[in-house]
Amino acid sequence: MRALREARCFLAIGFHYAAEVPTAMNALEKRSVSALASVYAMRMLGLFMVLPVFMLLGKDLQGATPALLGLAIGAYGLSQALLQIPFGMLSDRVGRKRMIYIGLILFAIGSLLAASTDSIYVVIAGRVLQGSGAIASVLMALLSDLTREEERTKAMATVGMSIGLSFSVSLVLGPLIGSHFGLSGIFYATGALSLVALVIVHRVVPTPHQQRASADTQPAREMLGRVLSEGRLLRLDFGIFSLHLVLTSLFLVFPTVLEDKLGLASSSHWWFYLTVMVTSFFAMIPFIIIGEKKRQMKAILCGAIALLTAAAGALSNLRHSLLFAWIVLFFFFMAFNLLEASLPSLISKEAPAASKGTAMGVYSTSQFLGAFIGGSLGGMMLESIGVSGVVGLMVAVLLIWLLVALTMPTPGYTTSFMVQLQQAVSGRFDDVDASLRELPGVRDVVIVEEASTAYLKIDRQEFDEGRLAELAFVRQGNSL
């Protein structure tokens, strides 16, 4: 989920850096970024289209119970969580595009398996197989291979916005396709999208001449302990876990309430979701800007969690008014979109130097685990207690997250900055480290000796990039 994101995983980064990176992508980079963004979007679109209709259409499957339907919704999250980092590391050995081919083929097979059955158990197996094509980290690694460091942030923002758009579109297309072709039609469409993505990777995405390990995009085993011991990051990981647990739980109850309690036919759900998603997206943008520009991210974060908690609690009182249901969902997704956009930016700021890729890998794993737990545990609560049980689960998790957020330190306002070093500095890395730490605005330095690269954490309000030109060990024209 993600979704979202891996759901809008880099949206806030796009806002934050749009005015800071004046360079332009070359033709190869534009082609690579647009192609990979479309692959990302089609994969997410396929995963998300089933969300707004599965509880309505899946109840006709053989053996279906609320608990099993919930498990089917969240099942992909378990295999995604388990395989996300291994897929990325395997791509270092066997090649990026080969692992992407394997992932998309697994995704297509899982989609076709779920489409060709009327058994809930086979659908669950298909969803697990869909999730086993865990190629998000591989796509980001390939993006790293095909773009220059100074264009990386814009590339990530483009991919992130395509994911956000795909989620919004999925809430419209899912009910439309489902009303005409049923649940199997959605899964067949999902399989077709994965095959189209396969063709794009093969025919449009260039094959890199060499694979380059990037601490900004790829997890590394040696960084894992440092990331898992950092309390600030763990709080954010719990945040994305909670956010996607709540999102998955929402779709266990909301579509049924719309149809059974409020009388809105499933074929008309698309316009309800469309108006909510468009308005809530634009409503959250000013808060992103205020949080970044005024350095009020903790206040914005806590306020959004509180709003999400209130909206989740209001889900138990939607029986009489479609307008009230629209307002509740509007505030839910305004808060959700804001948090989905803010959390990756905070991970980027809080990750130790040279550990962003590992931090994002743990973050993504937490996100998918949240989707799995939200579906499976939420489904059990729905079966044993009813809608109030699912709403109680959502509110309880959000209240814990709010407490965690209120007690966390104010986030830092640093960002990653990479500096290429002259080959001649070999053996003098301690002096290089000390010189870089003396620059105003530099908060942390990690030097990767074999790559002649220094990763800095900097405060852009204090850092003067021009000072790097005064350092003899810096390779000019190659810093980010």
Side-chain angles (χ1 to χ4, degrees), residues 436-451:
L436 290 172
R437 290 180 185 274
E438 290 176 357
L439 295 176
V442 174
R443 301 289 184 258
D444 190 19
V445 176
V446 171
I447 297 176
V448 182
E449 297 182 9
E450 59 271 20

Side-chain angles (χ1 to χ4, degrees), residues 68-97:
L68 290 175
L69 290 171
L71 178 60
I73 287 180
Y76 85 95
L78 179 62
S79 47
Q80 281 276 331
L82 293 175
L83 296 174
Q84 195 69 230
I85 292 178
F87 255 69
M89 292 180 174
L90 272 174
S91 74
D92 292 334
R93 296 191 174 191
V94 304
R96 312 283 190 231
K97 294 181 78 169

Side-chain angles (χ1 to χ4, degrees), residues 9-23 25 29 33 140 143-144 146-161 214 216-217 344-345 348-349 356 414-418 458 460 479-480:
C9 212
F10 310 103
L11 181 59
I13 300 175
F15 282 119
H16 186 61
Y17 290 109
E20 293 185 358
V21 187
T23 57
M25 293 185 185
E29 288 171 328
V33 171
M140 290 313 302
L143 188 73
S144 172
L146 295 171
T147 55
R148 292 165 293 162
E149 291 285 351
E150 57 267 28
E151 300 300 325
R152 190 76 41 73
T153 297
K154 287 190 288 186
M156 292 171 67
T158 300
V159 170
M161 285 185 278
S214 170
D216 275 354
T217 58
S345 178
S348 177
K349 291 178 174 66
K356 189 196 296 185
T414 58
T415 187
S416 297
F417 194 96
M418 194 200 75
I458 63 169
R460 286 189 177 272
S479 60
L480 173 59

Side-chain angles (χ1 to χ4, degrees), residues 52 56 175 251 253-266 268-273 276 318-319 321-326 329:
L56 299 174
F251 286 107
V253 297
F254 195 82
T256 304
V257 170
L258 275 184
E259 184 172 70
D260 295 346
K261 304 296 184 182
L262 299 176
L264 187 65
S266 59
S268 300
H269 286 194
W270 67 271
W271 66 259
F272 190 95
Y273 291 121
V276 166
L318 301 181
R319 297 189 177 97
S321 172
L322 192 62
L323 176 60
F324 181 68
W326 190 96
L329 201 65

Side-chain angles (χ1 to χ4, degrees), residues 94-154:
V94 304
R96 312 283 190 231
K97 294 181 78 169
R98 182 176 297 178
M99 291 306 299
I100 293 172
Y101 294 150
I102 292 172
L104 289 173
I105 290 170
L106 287 173
F107 188 81
I109 294 173
S111 301
L112 296 177
L113 179 64
S116 61
T117 184
D118 57 1
S119 167
I120 183 63
Y121 296 102
V122 180
V123 170
I124 291 171
R127 292 286 282 173
V128 171
L129 199 54
Q130 280 185 322
S132 66
I135 59 172
S137 60
V138 187
L139 286 169
M140 290 313 302
L142 183 56
L143 188 73
S144 172
D145 294 339
L146 295 171
T147 55
R148 292 165 293 162
E149 291 285 351
E150 57 267 28
E151 300 300 325
R152 190 76 41 73
T153 297
K154 287 190 288 186

Side-chain angles (χ1 to χ4, degrees), residues 65 152 187 245 267 301 343 385:
T65 65
R152 190 76 41 73
F187 283 123
L245 182 153
S267 58
L301 185 74
L343 288 172
I385 302 176

